[in-house]
Amino acid sequence: MQKVRDLSIMMCFAIAFCYSCEEKGNSGKFGDPYDSSKPVVLGSFEPDSGGMATKLFITGSNFGNDPTAVKVYYNDKQASVVGTDGNHLYVITPRQPGESCTISVVVGKDSVTFKDKQFKYRTMTTVKTVTGTKGTTTFKEGTLATATFGNPYGICIDAEGNIFVSNWNGGANFVLINEEQDIVRALSTATERLGVPTPDKDGKVISVPTDPGDGFYSFDPDVQWEVKKRLILHPSAEAQAAGAMDFTINWKTCMTVSPFDGYIYTASFSGPLIKMDPVTRMGQRVGNEIISTGSMQNIAADPFRPNILYISFQTRHAIYTYDLLTNKHELYAGIPGLAGYKDGSRLEAQFNAPYQMVVDRDSSLVIADYDNQCIRKISRDGIVSTLIGKGGVRGYQDGNAEDALFDRPNGVAVDKDYNIYIADYYNNCVRKLAIE
């Protein structure tokens, strides 16, 4: 019924345009121009709900005949005005303007708002493959459609929306993806495996740890992403005398920047937690209370609680926190030592080898639950839910979030528009949950 209604409105609008076109001699502008001596008057709009790109039709008067001179807002998000004939506006709904939207129209000096009616925005989610092809085992540069991967491992996104992926096998170990430019290119073709990358505090320079030892790579856009191999430096004797604790690293799988102190944090695979000054590169051990067994897998900083780090333990199937203010280290979610799949309260929920984590803009913790083949979320009030995938079901399928399938999703990142990107390890793809 709604589709019929929308179609009727569209036909009426088209007829009005055609009529105006005949009246005005096909001048390219339909209807009367905006008259600044008269008020802009709003009538109604249809439909009253929809998602991104929903066509909205607004009736009223004195809109003018130049769509480029008309601005329409859903709350504070500007919409695209496709056409106007003076008494009708044809508008395209923008992306994620808010759940309940106040519609405003601005023409010249006039700004008017619908007072008694709101547009209800419906969120739509779709999983799609950004790049990569299931069944491939080697990396190949190219467009999004032609590039291939060999086990994408960790993932992050910089302030410009570039996507960075550590690729564990097949010809390149670090890769840049730019969706707008439709390119996938290798930034490093070294053979050593790299872990989970992180942008610096400005979202610009990318650091990514080597798997063994004290090394890491850095990539700076100001020097065309030229790779620089660096070392985490050990504290000098003087620094140790002043309280800095030395460290030993066997393997490390991640780096993350803490908003609490600006340091880059990493960890030895079986402990300890280590912080590095991003300027001097001097590292030091943090505290003595980190669990020393259980294969520490990933660390995520929390911009909403800057003193908190989240730490996932792959073989303990649990997530812990570390408080940089108090050095308190405690269980946050999961049941230590018990692999399983269960949503619900965070201390009763079950995980199976949780890997990369990231805090989203709603302050929820998003987790790549590797052996559960899905992406999970822990809300700030402590409720675990499944965002994408079917718990324990391996496969490859795009589509809606409930039907999508993954094969050992290892990495997860969230961009400023709340799109969730997934490094789908055994499907050799980078996937995306678009929330629109």
Side-chain angles (χ1 to χ4, degrees):
M1 190 70 183
Q2 182 67 54
K3 289 183 178 178
V4 173
R5 189 181 187 187
D6 292 349
L7 182 60
S8 300
I9 297 168
M10 189 186 300
M11 289 177 65
C12 291
F13 192 71
I15 292 168
F17 262 34
C18 291
Y19 177 77
S20 297
C21 183
E22 290 180 2
E23 290 294 301
K24 298 300 177 182
N26 199 20
S27 64
K29 290 185 177 180
F30 314 136
D32 295 321
Y34 166 68
D35 186 344
S36 61
S37 68
K38 297 179 180 178
V40 173
V41 177
L42 297 178
S44 64
F45 65 80
E46 293 290 343
D48 60 6
S49 64
M52 187 182 81
T54 294
K55 301 173 183 66
L56 188 76
F57 303 93
I58 302 174
T59 62
S61 61
N62 200 27
F63 295 141
N65 58 8
D66 181 2
T68 65
V70 182
K71 293 183 175 65
V72 175
Y73 295 92
Y74 289 57
N75 295 330
D76 58 354
K77 200 103 177 236
Q78 188 170 347
S80 175
V81 179
V82 177
T84 174
D85 68 353
N87 297 318
H88 307 83
L89 293 175
Y90 177 20
V91 177
I92 303 298
T93 300
R95 187 177 190 272
Q96 295 186 36
E99 185 176 345
S100 298
C101 302
T102 298
I103 305 297
S104 304
V105 177
V106 179
V107 189
K109 63 180 179 59
D110 290 297
S111 177
V112 289
T113 300
F114 284 95
K115 301 292 187 184
D116 301 321
K117 184 178 182 180
Q118 287 190 315
F119 181 87
K120 301 297 182 183
Y121 186 83
R122 294 197 300 264
T123 299
M124 299 176 288
T125 59
T126 305
V127 176
K128 68 176 185 177
T129 298
V130 176
T131 185
T133 303
K134 176 178 169 55
T136 60
T137 56
T138 59
F139 174 77
K140 182 179 72 173
E141 291 184 327
T143 64
L144 298 176
T146 62
T148 60
F149 289 79
N151 304 125
Y153 180 84
I155 188 168
C156 76
I157 302 171
D158 70 5
E160 300 300 318
N162 294 303
I163 304 162
F164 300 88
V165 178
S166 51
N167 185 70
W168 265 32
N169 294 297
N173 63 350
F174 203 62
V175 178
L176 180 149
I177 302 168
N178 187 295
E179 288 186 280
E180 285 190 6
Q181 297 176 15
D182 191 25
I183 59 169
V184 178
R185 69 183 180 98
L187 296 184
S188 170
T189 57
T191 57
E192 60 187 332
R193 289 180 168 179
L194 302 179
V196 173
T198 185
D200 65 10
K201 63 181 178 62
D202 299 317
K204 185 177 178 181
V205 178
I206 306 299
S207 297
V208 56
T210 58
D211 194 24
D214 300 343
F216 70 99
Y217 289 16
S218 70
F219 300 86
D220 189 338
D222 289 343
V223 290
Q224 290 72 53
W225 302 112
E226 178 186 353
V227 59
K228 293 184 179 180
K229 292 188 176 183
R230 301 182 180 277
L231 291 173
I232 303 172
L233 303 178
H234 289 256
S236 65
E238 292 81 5
Q240 291 186 52
M245 293 186 289
D246 202 3
F247 57 89
T248 301
I249 296 176
N250 49 9
W251 301 279
K252 57 189 182 304
T253 59
C254 66
M255 283 183 155
T256 193
V257 174
S258 170
F260 177 71
D261 54 15
Y263 278 75
I264 296 175
Y265 282 78
T266 188
S268 182
F269 193 62
S270 57
L273 187 64
I274 298 154
K275 68 178 182 180
M276 179 187 74
D277 186 311
V279 178
T280 67
R281 291 188 284 118
M282 190 189 88
Q284 56 183 300
R285 181 172 178 153
V286 179
N288 291 300
E289 301 301 323
I290 292 293
I291 294 170
S292 60
T293 60
S295 60
M296 189 183 297
Q297 194 64 31
N298 189 243
I299 306 169
D302 189 340
F304 298 93
R305 295 193 296 170
N307 55 303
I308 295 297
L309 297 176
Y310 297 98
I311 306 171
S312 64
F313 288 85
Q314 177 192 3
T315 60
R316 292 182 69 85
H317 312 293
I319 297 163
Y320 287 71
T321 56
Y322 189 90
D323 191 326
L324 296 172
L325 276 175
T326 65
N327 291 323
K328 188 175 182 180
H329 179 47
E330 60 184 357
L331 178 66
Y332 180 68
I335 301 173
L338 178 63
Y341 173 74
K342 181 182 178 182
D343 287 338
S345 173
R346 61 183 172 87
L347 293 175
E348 297 177 355
Q350 295 174 13
F351 299 87
N352 195 349
Y355 269 54
Q356 189 175 350
M357 306 173 293
V358 64
V359 176
D360 69 16
R361 69 180 186 187
D362 295 327
S363 74
S364 296
L365 185 66
V366 180
I367 306 138
D369 196 356
Y370 182 80
D371 274 330
N372 272 328
Q373 324 299 338
C374 56
I375 306 301
R376 314 283 291 280
K377 180 179 83 168
I378 307 177
S379 64
R380 182 42 55 91
D381 58 358
I383 302 301
V384 177
S385 60
T386 300
L387 280 177
I388 330 168
K390 296 181 178 180
V393 181
R394 295 172 62 181
Y396 174 75
Q397 182 171 315
D398 286 338
N400 64 59
E402 294 77 17
D403 294 333
L405 296 176
F406 299 87
D407 195 349
R408 308 288 170 73
N410 197 83
V412 64
V414 181
D415 71 7
K416 60 183 177 61
D417 293 322
Y418 199 48
N419 295 305
I420 299 174
Y421 291 81
I422 303 104
D424 195 354
Y425 188 81
Y426 278 117
N427 278 327
N428 294 304
C429 299
V430 174
R431 314 278 292 281
K432 175 182 179 178
L433 174 67
I435 300 179
E436 300 173 337

